[in-house]
């Protein structure tokens, strides 16, 4: 399956909050839906789930209009949405039935997921009696209990310790390998980098960056290098600007490394020769590969 969102718009009264969002995702791949708080991520997700109606644009699956009721959608919200005073198994069965499963299948699937996630011993307990981490695993169970075609995960690692995070990682990988459409939204960029081949970065209701993550990193790293000078060198960024400002422009730093962009006409060889000529011995000298966090801050971090 291929889900395509084209020129999606949403207004509340006279205020437009989505200004033409477009992206696509294919089965067996995870898409990272990124953005600051208030950027438009949740509104986009709610339109996909038919909670909101779009003011404009289209959503299609394999070229046909996407009707959420025709697909099984598993949604893990950032804020917990289960019933705290109800039994764990009871409400999982109930929610699976609401999404089309018969009672027998719903119970079997609910029990299977509770066991898979290591919380089967709490099946008859009220949700509010569980720890925060175990409540999050129950919430994941309700996301997957209907064997969804589209899986939407919003901050799924919230409240999980390293052991439980690993269990969740394994489950997400299984969903991707099973050919599900997976949309992954998180402010924890390391997780996005781990699972997502493609990303969409929304800022103030507009897509400011999208595409294959590896390709985006290569483009951002183009013509940039990292230089690490000898230990103890004071103010290395200022020093490089002063001594080699005709060849480079300092764009940032990472721990003990200075990130530089080569100016037109500069080559790696010429820059290295320039460093040695100025007696600036580099302990590190190599290609710059930005982290997703650095890309995020550059594209969305400078705006309120």
């Amino acid at each position: 399956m291929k889900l395509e969102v084209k020129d999606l718009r949403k207004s509340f009264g006279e205020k437009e909050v989505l200004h033409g969002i477009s992206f696509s995702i294919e089965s067996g791949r995870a898409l990272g839906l990124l953005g600051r708080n208030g950027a438009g991520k949740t509104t986009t997700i709610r339109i996909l789930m038919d909670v909101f109606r779009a003011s404009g644009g289209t959503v299609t699956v394999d070229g046909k209009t996407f009707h959420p009721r025709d697909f099984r959608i598993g949604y893990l919200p950032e804020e917990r949405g289960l019933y705290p005073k109800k039994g764990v198994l009871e409400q999982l069965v109930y929610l699976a039935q609401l999404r089309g499963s018969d009672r027998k299948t719903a119970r079997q699937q609910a029990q299977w997921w509770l066991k898979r996630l290591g919380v089967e011993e709490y099946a008859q307990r009220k949700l509010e009696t569980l720890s925060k981490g175990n409540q999050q695993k129950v919430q994941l169970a309700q996301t997957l209990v209907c064997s969804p075609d589209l899986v939407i995960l919003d901050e799924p690692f919230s409240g999980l310790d390293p052991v439980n995070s690993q269990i969740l990682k394994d489950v997400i990988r299984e969903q991707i390998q099973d050919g599900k459409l997976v949309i992954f939204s998180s402010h924890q960029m390391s997780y996005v980098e781990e699972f997502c081949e493609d990303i969409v970065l929304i800022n103030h209701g507009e897509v400011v960056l999208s595409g294959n993550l590896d390709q985006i990193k290569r483009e951002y790293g183009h013509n940039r290098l990292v230089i690490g000078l000898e230990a103890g060198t004071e103010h290395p960024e200022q020093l490089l600007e002063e001594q080699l400002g005709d060849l480079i422009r300092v764009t940032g730093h990472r721990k003990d490394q200075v990130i530089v962009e080569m100016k037109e006409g500069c080559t790696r060889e010429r820059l290295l020769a320039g460093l040695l000529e100025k007696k600036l011995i580099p302990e590190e000298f190599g290609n710059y590969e930005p982290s997703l966090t650095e890309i995020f801050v550059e594209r969305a971090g400078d705006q309120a």
Side-chain angles (χ1 to χ4, degrees), residues 210-259:
S210 66
N212 179 268
L213 181 54
D214 288 337
Q215 183 176 343
I216 288 171
K217 284 188 173 184
R218 285 194 296 271
E219 291 173 355
Y220 265 74
H222 178 66
N223 216 34
R224 295 188 190 186
L225 299 171
V226 290
I227 299 174
L229 299 181
E230 292 179 294
T233 302
E234 295 185 358
H235 309 298
E237 295 172 67
Q238 181 179 342
L239 182 61
L240 288 173
E241 284 274 23
E242 291 174 349
Q243 298 294 321
L244 297 166
D246 57 328
L247 299 178
I248 61 169
R249 181 174 66 90
V250 173
T251 61
H253 67 276
R254 180 193 289 169
K255 294 184 178 179
D256 297 326
Q257 299 173 328
V258 179
I259 303 167

Side-chain angles (χ1 to χ4, degrees), residues 148-198:
D149 306 300
L150 172 61
V151 181
I152 302 173
L153 304 170
D154 194 354
E155 297 293 352
F157 291 94
S158 175
L160 297 182
D161 60 35
V163 173
N164 286 324
S165 291
Q166 186 58 52
I167 294 173
L168 179 51
K169 288 180 184 181
D170 293 340
V171 168
I172 294 174
R173 290 193 185 95
E174 289 167 7
Q175 297 300 304
I176 295 170
Q177 291 168 3
D178 286 346
K180 305 297 177 69
L181 295 168
V182 178
I183 296 178
F184 187 99
S185 181
S186 177
H187 290 118
Q188 295 173 282
M189 297 298 153
S190 60
Y191 289 130
V192 177
E193 289 185 284
E194 191 166 350
F195 297 111
C196 300
E197 295 182 55
D198 308 297

Side-chain angles (χ1 to χ4, degrees), residues 25-184:
I25 175 175
E26 298 183 24
S27 296
R29 296 171 74 93
L31 174 76
L33 184 62
L34 310 176
R36 298 176 66 179
N37 293 331
K41 305 186 303 298
T42 300
T43 299
T44 301
I45 289 171
R46 287 175 177 173
I47 289 173
L48 290 177
M49 297 178 62
D50 206 24
V51 176
F52 291 159
R53 293 294 177 91
S55 303
T58 61
V59 181
T60 60
V61 171
D62 296 335
K64 299 179 181 179
T65 300
F66 174 65
H67 297 292
R69 63 181 178 275
D70 296 333
F71 295 86
R72 290 165 297 179
I73 301 176
Y75 175 45
L76 178 68
E78 181 176 3
E79 299 296 331
R80 289 177 174 80
L82 297 180
Y83 302 102
K85 296 187 180 299
K86 294 291 185 180
V88 168
L89 180 61
E90 173 190 4
Q91 59 184 307
L92 289 183
V93 173
Y94 171 69
L95 291 169
Q97 287 181 280
L98 285 181
R99 288 143 76 187
S101 297
D102 61 77
R103 183 169 181 81
K104 181 179 179 181
T105 301
R107 189 175 184 85
Q108 290 174 341
Q109 285 295 306
Q111 290 174 325
W112 190 91
W113 275 111
L114 290 177
K115 183 175 182 180
R116 173 68 181 85
L117 295 169
V119 286
E120 71 272 24
E121 65 186 284
Y122 307 118
Q124 305 305 323
R125 295 263 297 271
K126 291 181 180 179
L127 184 69
E128 65 182 1
T129 66
L130 276 58
S131 68
K132 184 177 180 181
N134 284 332
Q135 287 187 34
Q136 182 73 347
K137 290 200 286 184
V138 172
Q139 185 120 322
L140 178 63
Q142 74 79 24
T143 303
L144 302 173
V145 71
C146 65
S147 299
D149 306 300
L150 172 61
V151 181
I152 302 173
L153 304 170
D154 194 354
E155 297 293 352
F157 291 94
S158 175
L160 297 182
D161 60 35
V163 173
N164 286 324
S165 291
Q166 186 58 52
I167 294 173
L168 179 51
K169 288 180 184 181
D170 293 340
V171 168
I172 294 174
R173 290 193 185 95
E174 289 167 7
Q175 297 300 304
I176 295 170
Q177 291 168 3
D178 286 346
K180 305 297 177 69
L181 295 168
V182 178
I183 296 178
F184 187 99

